[in-house]
Amino acid sequence: MKAQPIASHFIDGEYVEDTDGTVIESLYPATGEVIARLHAATPAIVERAIAAAKRAQPEWAAMSPTARGRILKRAADIMRERNRELSELETLDTGKPIQETIVADPTSGADSFEFFGGIAAAGLNGSYIPLGQDFAYTKRVPLGVCVGIGAWNYPQQIACWKGAPALICGNAMVFKPSENTPLGALKIAEILIEAGLPKGLYNVIQGDRTTGPLLVNHPDVAKVSLTGSVPTGRKVAAAAAGSLKHVTMELGGKSPLIVFDDADIDSAIGGAMLGNFYSTGQVCSNGTRVFVQRSIKETFLSRLKARTENMVIGDPMDEATQIGPMVSFDQRQKVMSYIEKGKVEGATLVTGGGIPNHVTGEGYYVQPTVFADVTDEMAIAREEIFGPVMCVLDFDDEAEVIARANGTEFGLSGGVFTSDLTRGHRVADQLEAGTLWINTYNLCPVEIPFGGSKQSGFGRENSLAALEHYSELKTVYVGMGKVEAPY
Ligand code: NAD
């Protein structure tokens, strides 16, 4: 299987190569096979991408929002037409099952272009402020050159979630995908050009943790939006602070999902499974601490175990497959070490816990795993594992579970399952997180703001709220009379 792109980078409307950059091997996670060889950006490539963005941005910003929006909507249409091809590429890039990528990846990227393309005309309006005989008005102005840095779990979605709001506000973007998943973003850049985006406005360069700082520290960059882990977020925010750049931080989590004894138990189990096993558990907002009220614990666990053991693990290109491999060998090692820690710490292994033996080849597979009798101080309950490992914790009452759910440095998301709607809202209100779900989990349509609080980050992606993070207000005060100076 091969997925070699024309070249490593996409700058100023065309593919660009610089073989002086360190080699990045793209491995298909289901087999470990090398499917593409690319090069990390050299400093010269970084300069070229930022210079192209800087050159192209003013003319783009001078266009009407409707004209910009028309191009984004065309890109959305092209993505939908090519959904299968893009989904297969996403599966090769990440190892996620085609059953998921075909409904969740290019389509959510297309939603983003469609939404921001569509709200352009109204969403970017300023305001008129009456001041007696004088008045003021505000206008929303772009920031300039924005940098997007992506994680490996949703490469195409992240490339679009950052690109669409940045572009509609009149900015240019330089996007660096994760070194684990370098392929998808290049296709997004190609499609934007085909949709009519002027060259230089959406550039993609490859690289790793040594390339990112070249972008973050660059004096011509006005904003950095990162999707990644908390430790990376701290470094990027600190570097950006050096020149007071705008930042959006979409970071990790260890989110609580609370199941009360009056919940529809099968829905709650479905929510917990989706919130732990979708994308082989590699989702930042996953509800990895599942608090189950003690009276329903045994029923919950026995049905959960049966449903988990029925999941289809295998070839991600097979439409019947529900669980694919982890993205990389290293990520699997990390997940396996947490599973070992859970056993040593005394949690009860309900199911999974190993590498599935019926999957052949070198793929980075892990069985979907459930631990019960997990307690708050265990490492598996405190640290982000980023794999298919669900921790079930018991609780007795509402006040106790809220305090324990909030007892974490993270604050990305959370969920509550209950048939008592008053309680659902009351609990959601008290959970310290950016996005909460009642009687469902992990749904993130483009219409709703998404982002974290506490150590999970700041800034919001999607919805009208994203526009505030890719633009700033300019205020103009208009004096209508003579200036009365006291001197
Ligand atoms: P990571 O932090 O290792 O890397 C993220 C990106 O940052 C990569 O592109 C990497 O090359 C780059 N990078 C690393 N060090 C850098 C530096 N010093 N300066 C600039 N760039 C640097 O994260 P990952 O392993 O790719 O992704 C998994 C993490 O991402 C998890 O913690 C997960 O929760 C988080 N995540 C968050 C969201 C969200 O929206 N909140 C979404 C997906 C993933």
Side-chain angles (χ1 to χ4, degrees):
M1 223 169 299
K2 287 278 170 256
Q4 185 67 39
I6 293 167
S8 301
H9 319 289
F10 194 95
I11 300 174
D12 216 5
E14 60 190 23
Y15 276 101
V16 173
E17 193 56 88
D18 180 350
T19 52
D20 285 348
T22 326
V23 171
I24 296 176
E25 284 192 332
S26 169
L27 307 180
Y28 180 38
T31 59
E33 183 190 345
V34 177
I35 53 170
R37 273 195 181 79
L38 299 94
H39 295 270
T42 56
I45 287 287
V46 172
E47 286 303 325
R48 197 164 151 183
I50 291 175
K54 191 178 172 189
R55 201 166 47 241
Q57 190 264 333
E59 208 175 312
W60 174 244
M63 281 167 65
S64 77
T66 307
R68 291 200 296 264
R70 198 175 302 131
I71 293 170
L72 298 197
K73 285 192 279 182
R74 213 176 288 143
D77 291 342
I78 299 173
M79 286 187 75
R80 288 194 210 289
E81 279 158 25
R82 302 216 188 126
N83 186 38
R84 163 132 320 248
E85 174 204 331
L86 290 168
S87 301
E88 284 174 1
L89 183 67
E90 185 81 347
T91 290
L92 289 172
D93 227 0
T94 60
K96 295 192 293 182
I98 191 85
Q99 188 189 90
E100 287 186 16
T101 54
I102 206 113
V103 295
D105 292 276
T107 49
S108 68
D111 284 353
S112 178
F113 284 130
E114 190 173 348
F115 177 82
F116 286 107
I119 51 95
L124 298 174
N125 287 351
S127 60
Y128 170 87
I129 303 161
L131 298 166
Q133 77 166 359
D134 292 351
F135 66 93
Y137 59 89
T138 62
K139 61 186 289 192
R140 198 157 270 292
V141 294
L143 303 174
V145 177
C146 300
V147 159
I149 300 179
W152 39 255
N153 55 345
Y154 282 82
Q156 290 182 32
Q157 182 187 83
I158 294 170
C160 299
W161 280 18
K162 297 192 189 307
L167 288 171
I168 202 59
C169 288
N171 302 288
M173 171 152 279
V174 178
F175 184 79
K176 188 199 83 60
S178 162
E179 56 275 32
N180 284 317
T181 52
L183 305 176
L186 291 168
K187 280 284 161 204
I188 306 298
E190 244 184 64
I191 286 170
L192 280 164
I193 288 289
E194 193 181 327
L197 187 74
K199 59 186 194 170
L201 291 166
Y202 189 88
N203 309 279
V204 174
I205 65 164
Q206 306 296 340
D208 58 14
R209 62 193 59 240
T210 60
T211 320
L214 300 178
L215 294 167
V216 178
N217 292 320
H218 200 288
D220 289 338
V221 170
K223 183 202 164 96
V224 180
S225 176
L226 168 78
T227 298
S229 62
V230 173
T232 302
R234 290 200 183 104
K235 284 184 210 145
V236 171
S243 48
L244 292 179
K245 291 182 169 66
H246 296 247
V247 283
T248 295
M249 291 285 151
E250 293 292 351
L251 309 177
K254 190 77 196 177
S255 300
L257 193 165
I258 303 171
V259 184
F260 285 96
D261 59 9
D262 61 354
D264 172 337
I265 198 160
D266 291 316
S267 287
I269 292 168
M273 290 177 74
L274 283 166
N276 278 273
F277 302 144
Y278 203 73
S279 297
T280 318
Q282 304 163 114
V283 181
C284 52
S285 50
N286 271 354
T288 45
R289 289 182 297 146
V290 180
F291 290 93
V292 177
Q293 203 156 17
R294 206 177 299 275
S295 53
I296 55 165
K297 173 182 172 180
E298 295 314 323
T299 317
F300 186 92
L301 286 175
S302 67
R303 290 195 209 169
L304 170 65
K305 176 173 157 59
R307 284 173 67 173
T308 303
E309 288 171 0
N310 252 339
M311 292 182 80
V312 182
I313 310 178
D315 174 4
M317 286 296 179
D318 180 342
E319 298 213 355
T321 294
Q322 297 169 323
I323 287 257
M326 311 291 317
V327 76
S328 66
F329 180 80
D330 287 352
Q331 188 61 20
R332 178 171 68 184
Q333 292 296 94
K334 182 181 158 197
V335 172
M336 291 308 297
S337 80
Y338 272 110
I339 290 174
E340 286 316 307
K341 249 185 227 175
K343 292 179 189 164
V344 171
E345 284 176 315
T348 307
L349 183 64
V350 176
T351 185
I355 293 172
N357 51 21
H358 66 279
V359 180
T360 51
E362 298 295 310
Y364 316 127
Y365 288 87
V366 178
Q367 287 175 323
T369 297
V370 178
F371 279 112
D373 305 313
V374 177
T375 56
D376 297 345
E377 21 355 294
M378 291 180 185
I380 56 169
R382 284 186 289 105
E383 297 169 21
E384 185 184 45
I385 300 174
F386 222 57
V389 182
M390 186 194 305
C391 294
V392 178
L393 304 92
D394 315 325
F395 76 94
D396 293 302
D397 68 64
E398 186 180 314
E400 168 214 337
V401 78
I402 290 169
R404 289 171 60 201
N406 286 336
T408 167
E409 59 169 356
F410 298 109
L412 189 55
S413 43
V416 49
F417 278 86
T418 176
S419 56
D420 176 348
L421 267 189
T422 313
R423 172 157 65 190
H425 290 290
R426 191 169 60 230
V427 172
D429 199 45
Q430 291 176 80
L431 291 178
E432 297 163 354
T435 309
L436 293 150
W437 291 277
I438 300 175
N439 290 335
T440 188
Y441 204 81
N442 256 359
L443 298 178
C444 288
V446 67
E447 292 89 346
I448 68 172
F450 179 75
S453 61
K454 296 161 82 175
Q455 296 292 299
S456 293
F458 36 80
R460 292 292 176 265
E461 296 201 297
N462 291 340
S463 78
L464 289 175
L467 299 176
E468 289 164 27
H469 300 286
Y470 284 99
S471 61
E472 60 192 2
L473 284 181
K474 176 180 272 189
T475 308
V476 180
Y477 185 113
V478 182
M480 296 294 286
K482 284 181 76 65
V483 174
E484 302 290 346
Y487 36 78

Short mmCIF file of all heavy atoms in Angstrom, two decimals, residues 7-41:
data_model
loop_
_atom_site.label_atom_id
_atom_site.label_comp_id
_atom_site.label_asym_id
_atom_site.label_seq_id
_atom_site.Cartn_x
_atom_site.Cartn_y
_atom_site.Cartn_z
N ALA A 7 4.84 15.83 -2.99
CA ALA A 7 6.01 16.34 -2.25
C ALA A 7 5.60 16.54 -0.80
O ALA A 7 4.42 16.38 -0.45
CB ALA A 7 6.50 17.65 -2.87
N SER A 8 6.54 16.92 0.05
CA SER A 8 6.28 16.97 1.49
C SER A 8 5.44 18.17 1.91
O SER A 8 4.66 18.09 2.86
CB SER A 8 7.61 17.06 2.25
OG SER A 8 8.40 15.95 1.96
N HIS A 9 5.64 19.31 1.25
CA HIS A 9 5.02 20.56 1.71
C HIS A 9 4.12 21.12 0.61
O HIS A 9 4.29 20.79 -0.57
CB HIS A 9 6.08 21.59 2.08
CG HIS A 9 7.25 21.00 2.80
ND1 HIS A 9 7.16 20.54 4.10
CD2 HIS A 9 8.54 20.75 2.41
CE1 HIS A 9 8.33 20.05 4.47
NE2 HIS A 9 9.18 20.15 3.46
N PHE A 10 3.21 22.00 1.02
CA PHE A 10 2.35 22.67 0.04
C PHE A 10 2.43 24.16 0.37
O PHE A 10 1.92 24.61 1.39
CB PHE A 10 0.92 22.16 0.16
CG PHE A 10 0.05 22.52 -1.00
CD1 PHE A 10 -0.12 21.64 -2.07
CD2 PHE A 10 -0.60 23.75 -1.06
CE1 PHE A 10 -0.93 21.97 -3.15
CE2 PHE A 10 -1.40 24.09 -2.14
CZ PHE A 10 -1.56 23.20 -3.19
N ILE A 11 3.13 24.90 -0.49
CA ILE A 11 3.39 26.32 -0.19
C ILE A 11 3.05 27.16 -1.41
O ILE A 11 3.44 26.83 -2.54
CB ILE A 11 4.88 26.54 0.19
CG1 ILE A 11 5.24 25.70 1.43
CG2 ILE A 11 5.19 28.02 0.44
CD1 ILE A 11 6.72 25.72 1.79
N ASP A 12 2.36 28.26 -1.17
CA ASP A 12 2.06 29.21 -2.23
C ASP A 12 1.37 28.53 -3.42
O ASP A 12 1.70 28.78 -4.59
CB ASP A 12 3.36 29.90 -2.69
CG ASP A 12 3.12 31.36 -3.05
OD1 ASP A 12 1.99 31.84 -2.86
OD2 ASP A 12 4.06 32.01 -3.55
N GLY A 13 0.46 27.64 -3.11
CA GLY A 13 -0.35 27.02 -4.15
C GLY A 13 0.27 25.83 -4.84
O GLY A 13 -0.30 25.30 -5.79
N GLU A 14 1.44 25.38 -4.39
CA GLU A 14 2.02 24.20 -5.05
C GLU A 14 2.84 23.33 -4.11
O GLU A 14 3.26 23.78 -3.04
CB GLU A 14 2.87 24.63 -6.25
CG GLU A 14 4.02 25.53 -5.88
CD GLU A 14 4.71 26.14 -7.10
OE1 GLU A 14 4.06 26.24 -8.15
OE2 GLU A 14 5.88 26.50 -6.96
N TYR A 15 3.03 22.08 -4.56
CA TYR A 15 3.85 21.15 -3.79
C TYR A 15 5.31 21.56 -3.87
O TYR A 15 5.80 21.98 -4.93
CB TYR A 15 3.68 19.73 -4.33
CG TYR A 15 2.46 19.03 -3.76
CD1 TYR A 15 1.28 18.94 -4.49
CD2 TYR A 15 2.50 18.48 -2.49
CE1 TYR A 15 0.16 18.31 -3.95
CE2 TYR A 15 1.39 17.86 -1.94
CZ TYR A 15 0.23 17.77 -2.67
OH TYR A 15 -0.87 17.15 -2.13
N VAL A 16 5.99 21.44 -2.73
CA VAL A 16 7.40 21.86 -2.63
C VAL A 16 8.17 20.78 -1.88
O VAL A 16 7.67 20.22 -0.90
CB VAL A 16 7.49 23.19 -1.83
CG1 VAL A 16 8.94 23.56 -1.56
CG2 VAL A 16 6.76 24.31 -2.55
N GLU A 17 9.36 20.49 -2.33
CA GLU A 17 10.22 19.51 -1.64
C GLU A 17 11.53 20.17 -1.24
O GLU A 17 12.00 21.09 -1.93
CB GLU A 17 10.48 18.32 -2.57
CG GLU A 17 11.09 17.11 -1.89
CD GLU A 17 10.23 16.62 -0.71
OE1 GLU A 17 9.33 15.80 -0.93
OE2 GLU A 17 10.50 17.07 0.43
N ASP A 18 12.08 19.73 -0.13
CA ASP A 18 13.44 20.12 0.25
C ASP A 18 14.03 18.90 0.95
O ASP A 18 13.74 18.63 2.12
CB ASP A 18 13.41 21.34 1.19
CG ASP A 18 14.82 21.76 1.60
OD1 ASP A 18 15.78 21.01 1.31
OD2 ASP A 18 14.97 22.83 2.21
N THR A 19 14.84 18.17 0.22
CA THR A 19 15.33 16.89 0.73
C THR A 19 16.40 17.07 1.81
O THR A 19 16.88 16.08 2.37
CB THR A 19 15.89 16.02 -0.42
OG1 THR A 19 16.82 16.83 -1.14
CG2 THR A 19 14.80 15.54 -1.35
N ASP A 20 16.76 18.31 2.12
CA ASP A 20 17.68 18.52 3.25
C ASP A 20 16.99 18.28 4.59
O ASP A 20 17.66 18.11 5.61
CB ASP A 20 18.21 19.97 3.25
CG ASP A 20 19.26 20.18 2.16
OD1 ASP A 20 19.71 19.16 1.59
OD2 ASP A 20 19.59 21.34 1.87
N GLY A 21 15.67 18.28 4.60
CA GLY A 21 14.94 18.08 5.86
C GLY A 21 15.03 16.63 6.33
O GLY A 21 15.16 15.70 5.51
N THR A 22 14.95 16.42 7.64
CA THR A 22 14.99 15.05 8.20
C THR A 22 13.86 14.22 7.60
O THR A 22 12.74 14.72 7.41
CB THR A 22 14.70 15.12 9.73
OG1 THR A 22 15.25 16.32 10.22
CG2 THR A 22 15.25 13.93 10.46
N VAL A 23 14.15 12.94 7.37
CA VAL A 23 13.13 12.07 6.76
C VAL A 23 12.04 11.74 7.79
O VAL A 23 12.33 11.40 8.95
CB VAL A 23 13.78 10.77 6.22
CG1 VAL A 23 12.71 9.76 5.79
CG2 VAL A 23 14.70 11.10 5.06
N ILE A 24 10.79 11.85 7.36
CA ILE A 24 9.64 11.42 8.18
C ILE A 24 9.02 10.23 7.45
O ILE A 24 8.58 10.36 6.31
CB ILE A 24 8.58 12.55 8.30
CG1 ILE A 24 9.16 13.75 9.05
CG2 ILE A 24 7.31 12.04 8.95
CD1 ILE A 24 8.20 14.94 9.12
N GLU A 25 9.02 9.08 8.10
CA GLU A 25 8.39 7.91 7.48
C GLU A 25 6.96 7.82 7.96
O GLU A 25 6.70 7.85 9.16
CB GLU A 25 9.15 6.64 7.88
CG GLU A 25 10.44 6.50 7.13
CD GLU A 25 11.06 5.11 7.30
OE1 GLU A 25 10.81 4.48 8.35
OE2 GLU A 25 11.78 4.68 6.38
N SER A 26 6.04 7.71 7.01
CA SER A 26 4.65 7.54 7.38
C SER A 26 4.33 6.05 7.36
O SER A 26 4.46 5.38 6.34
CB SER A 26 3.79 8.30 6.37
OG SER A 26 2.45 7.96 6.55
N LEU A 27 3.94 5.51 8.52
CA LEU A 27 3.68 4.07 8.63
C LEU A 27 2.18 3.83 8.70
O LEU A 27 1.46 4.56 9.39
CB LEU A 27 4.31 3.52 9.91
CG LEU A 27 5.80 3.79 10.13
CD1 LEU A 27 6.26 3.18 11.46
CD2 LEU A 27 6.63 3.22 8.98
N TYR A 28 1.72 2.79 7.99
CA TYR A 28 0.31 2.41 8.11
C TYR A 28 0.15 1.64 9.42
O TYR A 28 0.71 0.54 9.57
CB TYR A 28 -0.09 1.55 6.90
CG TYR A 28 -1.54 1.11 6.90
CD1 TYR A 28 -2.55 1.95 7.34
CD2 TYR A 28 -1.90 -0.15 6.44
CE1 TYR A 28 -3.88 1.56 7.33
CE2 TYR A 28 -3.21 -0.57 6.41
CZ TYR A 28 -4.21 0.30 6.87
OH TYR A 28 -5.52 -0.10 6.86
N PRO A 29 -0.60 2.19 10.38
CA PRO A 29 -0.62 1.59 11.71
C PRO A 29 -1.16 0.15 11.76
O PRO A 29 -0.90 -0.57 12.71
CB PRO A 29 -1.53 2.52 12.51
CG PRO A 29 -1.48 3.82 11.78
CD PRO A 29 -1.36 3.45 10.33
N ALA A 30 -1.91 -0.25 10.74
CA ALA A 30 -2.48 -1.60 10.76
C ALA A 30 -1.44 -2.66 10.40
O ALA A 30 -1.64 -3.85 10.71
CB ALA A 30 -3.66 -1.69 9.80
N THR A 31 -0.35 -2.25 9.73
CA THR A 31 0.64 -3.24 9.30
C THR A 31 2.08 -2.83 9.65
O THR A 31 2.98 -3.65 9.61
CB THR A 31 0.59 -3.40 7.77
OG1 THR A 31 0.87 -2.12 7.18
CG2 THR A 31 -0.75 -3.92 7.29
N GLY A 32 2.29 -1.57 9.96
CA GLY A 32 3.65 -1.09 10.20
C GLY A 32 4.42 -0.80 8.92
O GLY A 32 5.59 -0.39 8.96
N GLU A 33 3.74 -0.98 7.78
CA GLU A 33 4.39 -0.77 6.48
C GLU A 33 4.63 0.73 6.22
O GLU A 33 3.78 1.56 6.59
CB GLU A 33 3.40 -1.32 5.45
CG GLU A 33 3.81 -1.31 4.02
CD GLU A 33 2.58 -1.65 3.13
OE1 GLU A 33 1.56 -2.16 3.66
OE2 GLU A 33 2.67 -1.40 1.93
N VAL A 34 5.79 1.05 5.60
CA VAL A 34 6.05 2.45 5.23
C VAL A 34 5.21 2.77 4.00
O VAL A 34 5.38 2.15 2.94
CB VAL A 34 7.55 2.68 4.92
CG1 VAL A 34 7.79 4.12 4.47
CG2 VAL A 34 8.41 2.34 6.13
N ILE A 35 4.30 3.75 4.12
CA ILE A 35 3.45 4.08 2.97
C ILE A 35 3.86 5.38 2.29
O ILE A 35 3.41 5.69 1.20
CB ILE A 35 1.95 4.12 3.35
CG1 ILE A 35 1.71 5.05 4.55
CG2 ILE A 35 1.42 2.72 3.61
CD1 ILE A 35 0.25 5.32 4.81
N ALA A 36 4.69 6.16 2.97
CA ALA A 36 5.20 7.40 2.34
C ALA A 36 6.45 7.85 3.08
O ALA A 36 6.62 7.57 4.26
CB ALA A 36 4.13 8.49 2.40
N ARG A 37 7.33 8.52 2.33
CA ARG A 37 8.52 9.13 2.94
C ARG A 37 8.48 10.61 2.65
O ARG A 37 8.41 11.02 1.49
CB ARG A 37 9.79 8.52 2.36
CG ARG A 37 10.22 7.29 3.06
CD ARG A 37 11.66 6.86 2.77
NE ARG A 37 11.89 5.62 3.51
CZ ARG A 37 11.48 4.42 3.12
NH1 ARG A 37 10.85 4.30 1.97
NH2 ARG A 37 11.70 3.35 3.86
N LEU A 38 8.53 11.41 3.71
CA LEU A 38 8.49 12.86 3.54
C LEU A 38 9.68 13.47 4.26
O LEU A 38 10.44 12.76 4.93
CB LEU A 38 7.19 13.43 4.12
CG LEU A 38 5.90 12.92 3.49
CD1 LEU A 38 5.33 11.73 4.25
CD2 LEU A 38 4.86 14.02 3.44
N HIS A 39 9.82 14.79 4.12
CA HIS A 39 10.92 15.49 4.79
C HIS A 39 10.37 16.57 5.69
O HIS A 39 9.45 17.31 5.31
CB HIS A 39 11.85 16.12 3.75
CG HIS A 39 12.54 15.10 2.91
ND1 HIS A 39 13.75 14.55 3.25
CD2 HIS A 39 12.17 14.50 1.76
CE1 HIS A 39 14.10 13.65 2.34
NE2 HIS A 39 13.15 13.61 1.42
N ALA A 40 10.96 16.69 6.88
CA ALA A 40 10.58 17.79 7.77
C ALA A 40 11.04 19.10 7.14
O ALA A 40 12.02 19.13 6.38
CB ALA A 40 11.24 17.60 9.13
N ALA A 41 10.33 20.17 7.47
CA ALA A 41 10.68 21.47 6.91
C ALA A 41 12.03 21.94 7.45
O ALA A 41 12.29 21.85 8.65
CB ALA A 41 9.60 22.49 7.28
#
